Amino acid sequence: MSLLNKRAKTGGGGKGGSAGGSKTGGSAGKGYVKVGTYTGSRSASVYGQGGGSPVTIPPGTAFAGRFAGGATRPQIWGSSRYGSGYPYGLAGAYVAYRPFPFGFWPIVYTPYPYYGNDEYGPHYNETRPGGKMHQAQITSNAWGGNSKRHLQGRQANPNATAPYTILADYESVQAVLDAVAQNCSASVTSPTPLNFDDPNSIQPQQMLQFYRASSFGLALNSYNNSANLVSNQPASNDSQVTDVQDTPLPVGTDLNFLACINATIGESVPIMDAVDSGAMVAASFHAQASFLPLALLWFVIFCFKSM
């Protein structure tokens, strides 16, 4: 059920530009995302490594009693199937009642329930860690209007130029866009709120890969994977995941560009830090404060001996 080589990153094309008013550079690799009141001062970092001990979501908070955090960067990849990519938690096909190993809620599709994801809706819920769900498109610069190939009169296969779409909370979408624009010679659009009333909105069968316990997804707009149709989802959490095979990638798909996007998402998408950011600052301040009296004492002794 995995269409992509998890860590392959070949020939993406180096540093790239952007289009559509999006940002390039700047914040990639340095950003922090607040992942919820249940984490105290713990944040999620772009390019962070995660890990540490999971926290228990306290009473009076959404999903009280569940665990959040503890997962690490190498565990980021799921598969082409929604509900994949959980390094710990309940067994089964559905995402309902599961923990949040990376600190983020699974993405949702509406108006229909999909693998039990309706408890995480609606998609415009602003209390979702990272903000309400957004999407953005990514296209390769390799077939731009001024490219050498175009000037030579060659025609691009439609699947080579088809856009990709990423789905997740706002902060995660923006962080990944910055990274992809830098790494993959890509043009990216600004994030826009999901609108499932739009008949052109991304559907489950267009998804290529899920990441971060199904809280981040990559779709190819020209793809139609029958294995991911709503009608093929398991009847319940205990039911067997569909045995329908994944539809092959469309002929002409630029696999180098896709590999770059896939690897960059895996490397950059925000995940919950191992230590509370506030705790790190407090520990640093405490260490410095504890050292100051000792340093002052040594300074006085040194001055006295020098007299």
Side-chain angles (χ1 to χ4, degrees):
M1 292 191 300
S2 182
L3 294 166
L4 308 181
N5 184 348
K6 293 180 180 179
R7 293 170 179 81
K9 187 175 182 181
T10 58
K15 306 296 182 183
S18 66
S22 65
K23 297 188 293 184
T24 57
S27 64
K30 300 179 181 178
Y32 295 92
V33 178
K34 198 71 172 180
V35 292
T37 55
Y38 55 78
T39 66
S41 56
R42 188 177 294 193
S43 297
S45 295
V46 183
Y47 289 101
Q49 295 305 303
S53 299
V55 297
T56 301
I57 300 175
T61 308
F63 309 114
R66 300 190 199 181
F67 289 123
T72 62
R73 179 66 60 181
Q75 298 171 315
I76 203 78
W77 280 274
S79 70
S80 59
R81 200 74 70 243
Y82 184 72
S84 61
Y86 281 82
Y88 69 84
L90 299 174
Y94 278 25
V95 296
Y97 307 112
R98 287 196 169 190
F100 310 105
F102 299 93
F104 294 84
W105 301 354
I107 61 178
V108 296
Y109 300 94
T110 55
Y112 39 76
Y114 189 63
Y115 283 76
N117 69 358
D118 44 317
E119 71 171 357
Y120 304 113
H123 58 279
Y124 51 81
N125 185 348
E126 294 186 354
T127 63
R128 169 179 287 269
K132 60 184 180 181
M133 285 189 60
H134 280 65
Q135 65 181 9
Q137 289 193 355
I138 301 169
T139 53
S140 172
N141 288 334
W143 292 95
N146 294 322
S147 71
K148 183 177 180 181
R149 297 177 188 179
H150 180 81
L151 292 175
Q152 290 176 341
R154 296 176 59 184
Q155 296 296 316
N157 184 299
N159 292 317
T161 59
Y164 294 85
T165 297
I166 55 176
L167 308 174
D169 60 279
Y170 170 79
E171 295 287 352
S172 296
V173 168
Q174 184 62 74
V176 168
L177 284 178
D178 287 346
V180 169
Q182 288 185 26
N183 294 339
C184 300
S185 187
S187 295
V188 300
T189 66
S190 297
T192 58
L194 278 180
N195 178 14
F196 287 111
D197 293 329
D198 182 350
N200 295 318
S201 64
I202 293 298
Q203 300 299 309
Q205 61 268 25
Q206 293 173 283
M207 303 302 296
L208 288 175
Q209 179 73 31
F210 291 97
Y211 310 82
R212 209 178 59 179
S214 294
S215 63
F216 193 101
L218 171 66
L220 174 59
N221 292 26
S222 63
Y223 187 45
N224 189 353
N225 186 3
S226 57
N228 283 343
L229 287 169
V230 175
S231 58
N232 282 329
Q233 68 175 311
S236 70
N237 185 57
D238 298 323
S239 302
Q240 182 178 354
V241 176
T242 179
D243 56 3
V244 176
Q245 296 298 306
D246 285 318
T247 303
L249 293 175
V251 175
T253 299
D254 186 340
L255 298 181
N256 284 342
F257 183 58
L258 174 56
C260 186
I261 296 173
N262 177 50
T264 301
I265 292 172
E267 294 166 359
S268 65
V269 67
I271 62 176
M272 186 186 287
D273 296 321
V275 181
D276 289 1
S277 57
M280 289 189 289
V281 173
S284 175
F285 177 80
H286 179 73
Q288 294 177 37
S290 298
F291 176 75
L292 285 175
L294 182 61
L296 181 61
L297 176 62
W298 279 108
F299 178 74
V300 171
I301 293 175
F302 175 77
C303 292
F304 179 77
K305 288 184 176 182
S306 301
M307 292 178 61

